[in-house]
PDB file of all heavy atoms in Angstrom:
ATOM      1  N   ILE A 831       9.489  -6.263  12.985  1.00 93.00           N
ATOM      2  CA  ILE A 831       9.525  -7.408  12.067  1.00 93.00           C
ATOM      3  C   ILE A 831       8.164  -7.582  11.411  1.00 93.00           C
ATOM      4  O   ILE A 831       7.132  -7.596  12.084  1.00 93.00           O
ATOM      5  CB  ILE A 831       9.916  -8.706  12.798  1.00 93.00           C
ATOM      6  CG1 ILE A 831      11.330  -8.583  13.356  1.00 93.00           C
ATOM      7  CG2 ILE A 831       9.820  -9.901  11.861  1.00 93.00           C
ATOM      8  CD1 ILE A 831      11.742  -9.775  14.200  1.00 93.00           C
ATOM      9  N   GLN A 832       8.181  -7.708  10.100  1.00 95.00           N
ATOM     10  CA  GLN A 832       6.980  -8.051   9.348  1.00 95.00           C
ATOM     11  C   GLN A 832       6.977  -9.547   9.083  1.00 95.00           C
ATOM     12  O   GLN A 832       8.034 -10.153   8.924  1.00 95.00           O
ATOM     13  CB  GLN A 832       6.947  -7.316   8.018  1.00 95.00           C
ATOM     14  CG  GLN A 832       7.022  -5.803   8.110  1.00 95.00           C
ATOM     15  CD  GLN A 832       6.936  -5.153   6.747  1.00 95.00           C
ATOM     16  OE1 GLN A 832       6.695  -5.813   5.729  1.00 95.00           O
ATOM     17  NE2 GLN A 832       7.123  -3.847   6.706  1.00 95.00           N
ATOM     18  N   LEU A 833       5.790 -10.109   9.008  1.00 96.00           N
ATOM     19  CA  LEU A 833       5.669 -11.527   8.668  1.00 96.00           C
ATOM     20  C   LEU A 833       4.630 -11.701   7.571  1.00 96.00           C
ATOM     21  O   LEU A 833       3.641 -10.962   7.505  1.00 96.00           O
ATOM     22  CB  LEU A 833       5.287 -12.365   9.890  1.00 96.00           C
ATOM     23  CG  LEU A 833       6.412 -12.515  10.909  1.00 96.00           C
ATOM     24  CD1 LEU A 833       6.040 -11.808  12.186  1.00 96.00           C
ATOM     25  CD2 LEU A 833       6.712 -13.975  11.189  1.00 96.00           C
ATOM     26  N   GLY A 834       4.879 -12.672   6.705  1.00 96.00           N
ATOM     27  CA  GLY A 834       3.943 -12.983   5.637  1.00 96.00           C
ATOM     28  C   GLY A 834       3.783 -14.488   5.499  1.00 96.00           C
ATOM     29  O   GLY A 834       4.759 -15.239   5.622  1.00 96.00           O
ATOM     30  N   PHE A 835       2.560 -14.938   5.257  1.00 96.00           N
ATOM     31  CA  PHE A 835       2.260 -16.355   5.108  1.00 96.00           C
ATOM     32  C   PHE A 835       1.395 -16.538   3.869  1.00 96.00           C
ATOM     33  O   PHE A 835       0.411 -15.817   3.688  1.00 96.00           O
ATOM     34  CB  PHE A 835       1.508 -16.888   6.334  1.00 96.00           C
ATOM     35  CG  PHE A 835       2.268 -16.745   7.627  1.00 96.00           C
ATOM     36  CD1 PHE A 835       2.212 -15.578   8.362  1.00 96.00           C
ATOM     37  CD2 PHE A 835       3.048 -17.789   8.105  1.00 96.00           C
ATOM     38  CE1 PHE A 835       2.901 -15.439   9.554  1.00 96.00           C
ATOM     39  CE2 PHE A 835       3.757 -17.660   9.293  1.00 96.00           C
ATOM     40  CZ  PHE A 835       3.685 -16.474  10.016  1.00 96.00           C
ATOM     41  N   ALA A 836       1.771 -17.481   3.023  1.00 95.00           N
ATOM     42  CA  ALA A 836       1.020 -17.736   1.797  1.00 95.00           C
ATOM     43  C   ALA A 836       0.600 -19.198   1.763  1.00 95.00           C
ATOM     44  O   ALA A 836       1.392 -20.090   2.088  1.00 95.00           O
ATOM     45  CB  ALA A 836       1.857 -17.401   0.566  1.00 95.00           C
ATOM     46  N   SER A 837      -0.643 -19.422   1.374  1.00 94.00           N
ATOM     47  CA  SER A 837      -1.138 -20.783   1.231  1.00 94.00           C
ATOM     48  C   SER A 837      -2.370 -20.771   0.337  1.00 94.00           C
ATOM     49  O   SER A 837      -2.830 -19.718  -0.103  1.00 94.00           O
ATOM     50  CB  SER A 837      -1.460 -21.402   2.594  1.00 94.00           C
ATOM     51  OG  SER A 837      -1.602 -22.794   2.476  1.00 94.00           O
ATOM     52  N   GLN A 838      -2.913 -21.960   0.112  1.00 93.00           N
ATOM     53  CA  GLN A 838      -3.983 -22.087  -0.865  1.00 93.00           C
ATOM     54  C   GLN A 838      -5.372 -21.920  -0.259  1.00 93.00           C
ATOM     55  O   GLN A 838      -6.325 -21.628  -0.976  1.00 93.00           O
ATOM     56  CB  GLN A 838      -3.871 -23.447  -1.553  1.00 93.00           C
ATOM     57  CG  GLN A 838      -2.548 -23.615  -2.296  1.00 93.00           C
ATOM     58  CD  GLN A 838      -2.351 -25.008  -2.847  1.00 93.00           C
ATOM     59  OE1 GLN A 838      -3.298 -25.788  -2.933  1.00 93.00           O
ATOM     60  NE2 GLN A 838      -1.120 -25.336  -3.213  1.00 93.00           N
ATOM     61  N   ARG A 839      -5.496 -22.128   1.043  1.00 94.00           N
ATOM     62  CA  ARG A 839      -6.795 -21.987   1.700  1.00 94.00           C
ATOM     63  C   ARG A 839      -6.638 -21.176   2.969  1.00 94.00           C
ATOM     64  O   ARG A 839      -5.581 -21.183   3.604  1.00 94.00           O
ATOM     65  CB  ARG A 839      -7.379 -23.365   2.032  1.00 94.00           C
ATOM     66  CG  ARG A 839      -7.675 -24.239   0.826  1.00 94.00           C
ATOM     67  CD  ARG A 839      -8.271 -25.561   1.258  1.00 94.00           C
ATOM     68  NE  ARG A 839      -7.386 -26.262   2.202  1.00 94.00           N
ATOM     69  CZ  ARG A 839      -7.751 -27.320   2.928  1.00 94.00           C
ATOM     70  NH1 ARG A 839      -8.985 -27.788   2.841  1.00 94.00           N
ATOM     71  NH2 ARG A 839      -6.889 -27.900   3.739  1.00 94.00           N
ATOM     72  N   LEU A 840      -7.696 -20.524   3.362  1.00 94.00           N
ATOM     73  CA  LEU A 840      -7.645 -19.692   4.554  1.00 94.00           C
ATOM     74  C   LEU A 840      -7.412 -20.544   5.800  1.00 94.00           C
ATOM     75  O   LEU A 840      -6.654 -20.146   6.698  1.00 94.00           O
ATOM     76  CB  LEU A 840      -8.956 -18.907   4.692  1.00 94.00           C
ATOM     77  CG  LEU A 840      -9.060 -18.006   5.923  1.00 94.00           C
ATOM     78  CD1 LEU A 840      -7.972 -16.950   5.914  1.00 94.00           C
ATOM     79  CD2 LEU A 840     -10.437 -17.356   5.992  1.00 94.00           C
ATOM     80  N   GLN A 841      -8.017 -21.709   5.872  1.00 93.00           N
ATOM     81  CA  GLN A 841      -7.884 -22.520   7.079  1.00 93.00           C
ATOM     82  C   GLN A 841      -6.463 -23.038   7.267  1.00 93.00           C
ATOM     83  O   GLN A 841      -6.081 -23.433   8.375  1.00 93.00           O
ATOM     84  CB  GLN A 841      -8.863 -23.693   7.038  1.00 93.00           C
ATOM     85  CG  GLN A 841      -8.546 -24.740   5.980  1.00 93.00           C
ATOM     86  CD  GLN A 841      -9.568 -25.867   5.974  1.00 93.00           C
ATOM     87  OE1 GLN A 841     -10.762 -25.639   6.123  1.00 93.00           O
ATOM     88  NE2 GLN A 841      -9.099 -27.081   5.791  1.00 93.00           N
ATOM     89  N   ASP A 842      -5.626 -22.988   6.212  1.00 92.00           N
ATOM     90  CA  ASP A 842      -4.236 -23.401   6.353  1.00 92.00           C
ATOM     91  C   ASP A 842      -3.470 -22.495   7.303  1.00 92.00           C
ATOM     92  O   ASP A 842      -2.442 -22.888   7.859  1.00 92.00           O
ATOM     93  CB  ASP A 842      -3.527 -23.380   4.987  1.00 92.00           C
ATOM     94  CG  ASP A 842      -4.108 -24.387   4.015  1.00 92.00           C
ATOM     95  OD1 ASP A 842      -4.725 -25.365   4.485  1.00 92.00           O
ATOM     96  OD2 ASP A 842      -3.954 -24.186   2.800  1.00 92.00           O
ATOM     97  N   MET A 843      -3.926 -21.252   7.443  1.00 93.00           N
ATOM     98  CA  MET A 843      -3.182 -20.261   8.228  1.00 93.00           C
ATOM     99  C   MET A 843      -3.234 -20.537   9.720  1.00 93.00           C
ATOM    100  O   MET A 843      -2.306 -20.195  10.452  1.00 93.00           O
ATOM    101  CB  MET A 843      -3.724 -18.851   7.949  1.00 93.00           C
ATOM    102  CG  MET A 843      -3.626 -18.443   6.503  1.00 93.00           C
ATOM    103  SD  MET A 843      -1.897 -18.396   5.962  1.00 93.00           S
ATOM    104  CE  MET A 843      -2.116 -18.142   4.205  1.00 93.00           C
ATOM    105  N   GLY A 844      -4.310 -21.107  10.196  1.00 90.00           N
ATOM    106  CA  GLY A 844      -4.488 -21.276  11.629  1.00 90.00           C
ATOM    107  C   GLY A 844      -5.171 -20.053  12.220  1.00 90.00           C
ATOM    108  O   GLY A 844      -5.007 -18.929  11.752  1.00 90.00           O
ATOM    109  N   ASP A 845      -5.925 -20.269  13.265  1.00 90.00           N
ATOM    110  CA  ASP A 845      -6.727 -19.186  13.822  1.00 90.00           C
ATOM    111  C   ASP A 845      -5.866 -18.086  14.422  1.00 90.00           C
ATOM    112  O   ASP A 845      -6.198 -16.898  14.322  1.00 90.00           O
ATOM    113  CB  ASP A 845      -7.678 -19.752  14.882  1.00 90.00           C
ATOM    114  CG  ASP A 845      -8.658 -18.718  15.373  1.00 90.00           C
ATOM    115  OD1 ASP A 845      -9.508 -18.279  14.571  1.00 90.00           O
ATOM    116  OD2 ASP A 845      -8.567 -18.318  16.554  1.00 90.00           O
ATOM    117  N   GLY A 846      -4.746 -18.455  15.054  1.00 90.00           N
ATOM    118  CA  GLY A 846      -3.909 -17.448  15.700  1.00 90.00           C
ATOM    119  C   GLY A 846      -3.356 -16.438  14.716  1.00 90.00           C
ATOM    120  O   GLY A 846      -3.388 -15.225  14.964  1.00 90.00           O
ATOM    121  N   ILE A 847      -2.844 -16.916  13.593  1.00 94.00           N
ATOM    122  CA  ILE A 847      -2.278 -16.013  12.587  1.00 94.00           C
ATOM    123  C   ILE A 847      -3.385 -15.236  11.884  1.00 94.00           C
ATOM    124  O   ILE A 847      -3.283 -14.026  11.669  1.00 94.00           O
ATOM    125  CB  ILE A 847      -1.432 -16.810  11.584  1.00 94.00           C
ATOM    126  CG1 ILE A 847      -0.163 -17.323  12.273  1.00 94.00           C
ATOM    127  CG2 ILE A 847      -1.084 -15.974  10.359  1.00 94.00           C
ATOM    128  CD1 ILE A 847       0.665 -18.267  11.430  1.00 94.00           C
ATOM    129  N   THR A 848      -4.464 -15.926  11.533  1.00 94.00           N
ATOM    130  CA  THR A 848      -5.558 -15.258  10.813  1.00 94.00           C
ATOM    131  C   THR A 848      -6.159 -14.131  11.635  1.00 94.00           C
ATOM    132  O   THR A 848      -6.432 -13.043  11.119  1.00 94.00           O
ATOM    133  CB  THR A 848      -6.651 -16.277  10.461  1.00 94.00           C
ATOM    134  OG1 THR A 848      -6.086 -17.323   9.665  1.00 94.00           O
ATOM    135  CG2 THR A 848      -7.781 -15.612   9.682  1.00 94.00           C
ATOM    136  N   SER A 849      -6.354 -14.367  12.916  1.00 93.00           N
ATOM    137  CA  SER A 849      -7.013 -13.354  13.746  1.00 93.00           C
ATOM    138  C   SER A 849      -6.139 -12.128  13.952  1.00 93.00           C
ATOM    139  O   SER A 849      -6.658 -11.012  14.115  1.00 93.00           O
ATOM    140  CB  SER A 849      -7.387 -13.958  15.099  1.00 93.00           C
ATOM    141  OG  SER A 849      -6.234 -14.383  15.807  1.00 93.00           O
ATOM    142  N   GLN A 850      -4.822 -12.290  13.936  1.00 94.00           N
ATOM    143  CA  GLN A 850      -3.929 -11.158  14.178  1.00 94.00           C
ATOM    144  C   GLN A 850      -3.435 -10.490  12.900  1.00 94.00           C
ATOM    145  O   GLN A 850      -2.766  -9.457  12.971  1.00 94.00           O
ATOM    146  CB  GLN A 850      -2.728 -11.623  15.001  1.00 94.00           C
ATOM    147  CG  GLN A 850      -3.091 -12.102  16.396  1.00 94.00           C
ATOM    148  CD  GLN A 850      -1.864 -12.450  17.215  1.00 94.00           C
ATOM    149  OE1 GLN A 850      -1.081 -11.578  17.573  1.00 94.00           O
ATOM    150  NE2 GLN A 850      -1.688 -13.728  17.510  1.00 94.00           N
ATOM    151  N   ALA A 851      -3.759 -11.065  11.748  1.00 95.00           N
ATOM    152  CA  ALA A 851      -3.280 -10.508  10.480  1.00 95.00           C
ATOM    153  C   ALA A 851      -3.824  -9.101  10.274  1.00 95.00           C
ATOM    154  O   ALA A 851      -5.003  -8.830  10.498  1.00 95.00           O
ATOM    155  CB  ALA A 851      -3.685 -11.413   9.321  1.00 95.00           C
ATOM    156  N   THR A 852      -2.961  -8.207   9.829  1.00 95.00           N
ATOM    157  CA  THR A 852      -3.390  -6.846   9.516  1.00 95.00           C
ATOM    158  C   THR A 852      -3.472  -6.613   8.011  1.00 95.00           C
ATOM    159  O   THR A 852      -3.922  -5.559   7.575  1.00 95.00           O
ATOM    160  CB  THR A 852      -2.412  -5.829  10.119  1.00 95.00           C
ATOM    161  OG1 THR A 852      -1.086  -6.066   9.608  1.00 95.00           O
ATOM    162  CG2 THR A 852      -2.393  -5.937  11.634  1.00 95.00           C
ATOM    163  N   GLY A 853      -3.016  -7.590   7.235  1.00 96.00           N
ATOM    164  CA  GLY A 853      -3.153  -7.521   5.786  1.00 96.00           C
ATOM    165  C   GLY A 853      -3.587  -8.879   5.267  1.00 96.00           C
ATOM    166  O   GLY A 853      -2.841  -9.853   5.374  1.00 96.00           O
ATOM    167  N   ARG A 854      -4.813  -8.947   4.742  1.00 96.00           N
ATOM    168  CA  ARG A 854      -5.322 -10.209   4.190  1.00 96.00           C
ATOM    169  C   ARG A 854      -5.523  -9.999   2.695  1.00 96.00           C
ATOM    170  O   ARG A 854      -6.362  -9.194   2.289  1.00 96.00           O
ATOM    171  CB  ARG A 854      -6.640 -10.607   4.843  1.00 96.00           C
ATOM    172  CG  ARG A 854      -6.541 -10.972   6.330  1.00 96.00           C
ATOM    173  CD  ARG A 854      -6.912  -9.857   7.226  1.00 96.00           C
ATOM    174  NE  ARG A 854      -6.957 -10.254   8.641  1.00 96.00           N
ATOM    175  CZ  ARG A 854      -7.949  -9.926   9.447  1.00 96.00           C
ATOM    176  NH1 ARG A 854      -8.981  -9.215   9.020  1.00 96.00           N
ATOM    177  NH2 ARG A 854      -7.917 -10.289  10.722  1.00 96.00           N
ATOM    178  N   PHE A 855      -4.752 -10.710   1.894  1.00 97.00           N
ATOM    179  CA  PHE A 855      -4.813 -10.551   0.442  1.00 97.00           C
ATOM    180  C   PHE A 855      -5.453 -11.807  -0.141  1.00 97.00           C
ATOM    181  O   PHE A 855      -4.842 -12.874  -0.160  1.00 97.00           O
ATOM    182  CB  PHE A 855      -3.410 -10.340  -0.126  1.00 97.00           C
ATOM    183  CG  PHE A 855      -2.731  -9.097   0.388  1.00 97.00           C
ATOM    184  CD1 PHE A 855      -1.957  -9.136   1.551  1.00 97.00           C
ATOM    185  CD2 PHE A 855      -2.875  -7.890  -0.262  1.00 97.00           C
ATOM    186  CE1 PHE A 855      -1.338  -8.004   2.037  1.00 97.00           C
ATOM    187  CE2 PHE A 855      -2.259  -6.743   0.220  1.00 97.00           C
ATOM    188  CZ  PHE A 855      -1.494  -6.793   1.370  1.00 97.00           C
ATOM    189  N   ILE A 856      -6.678 -11.652  -0.584  1.00 96.00           N
ATOM    190  CA  ILE A 856      -7.435 -12.771  -1.139  1.00 96.00           C
ATOM    191  C   ILE A 856      -7.420 -12.641  -2.647  1.00 96.00           C
ATOM    192  O   ILE A 856      -8.025 -11.724  -3.207  1.00 96.00           O
ATOM    193  CB  ILE A 856      -8.892 -12.785  -0.616  1.00 96.00           C
ATOM    194  CG1 ILE A 856      -8.927 -12.591   0.905  1.00 96.00           C
ATOM    195  CG2 ILE A 856      -9.592 -14.054  -1.053  1.00 96.00           C
ATOM    196  CD1 ILE A 856      -8.226 -13.662   1.689  1.00 96.00           C
ATOM    197  N   LEU A 857      -6.718 -13.540  -3.329  1.00 95.00           N
ATOM    198  CA  LEU A 857      -6.620 -13.453  -4.784  1.00 95.00           C
ATOM    199  C   LEU A 857      -7.644 -14.325  -5.497  1.00 95.00           C
ATOM    200  O   LEU A 857      -7.952 -14.079  -6.657  1.00 95.00           O
ATOM    201  CB  LEU A 857      -5.211 -13.829  -5.250  1.00 95.00           C
ATOM    202  CG  LEU A 857      -4.150 -12.792  -4.892  1.00 95.00           C
ATOM    203  CD1 LEU A 857      -3.474 -13.102  -3.565  1.00 95.00           C
ATOM    204  CD2 LEU A 857      -3.121 -12.667  -5.990  1.00 95.00           C
ATOM    205  N   LYS A 858      -8.155 -15.322  -4.777  1.00 93.00           N
ATOM    206  CA  LYS A 858      -9.165 -16.185  -5.378  1.00 93.00           C
ATOM    207  C   LYS A 858      -9.627 -17.175  -4.335  1.00 93.00           C
ATOM    208  O   LYS A 858      -8.855 -17.559  -3.454  1.00 93.00           O
ATOM    209  CB  LYS A 858      -8.585 -16.929  -6.598  1.00 93.00           C
ATOM    210  CG  LYS A 858      -9.622 -17.580  -7.495  1.00 93.00           C
ATOM    211  CD  LYS A 858      -8.948 -18.189  -8.724  1.00 93.00           C
ATOM    212  CE  LYS A 858      -9.975 -18.803  -9.672  1.00 93.00           C
ATOM    213  NZ  LYS A 858      -9.329 -19.384 -10.867  1.00 93.00           N
ATOM    214  N   ALA A 859     -10.880 -17.562  -4.409  1.00 92.00           N
ATOM    215  CA  ALA A 859     -11.403 -18.615  -3.540  1.00 92.00           C
ATOM    216  C   ALA A 859     -11.488 -19.907  -4.340  1.00 92.00           C
ATOM    217  O   ALA A 859     -11.916 -19.902  -5.502  1.00 92.00           O
ATOM    218  CB  ALA A 859     -12.776 -18.232  -2.995  1.00 92.00           C
TER     219      ALA A 859
END
Side-chain angles (χ1 to χ4, degrees):
I831 297 175
Q832 303 182 7
L833 288 114
F835 300 86
S837 195
Q838 299 173 15
R839 297 181 303 167
L840 179 61
Q841 68 181 40
D842 296 337
M843 300 298 172
D845 187 66
I847 290 173
T848 302
S849 62
Q850 296 185 68
T852 58
R854 293 98 174 226
F855 298 89
I856 313 298
L857 290 93
K858 194 175 182 180

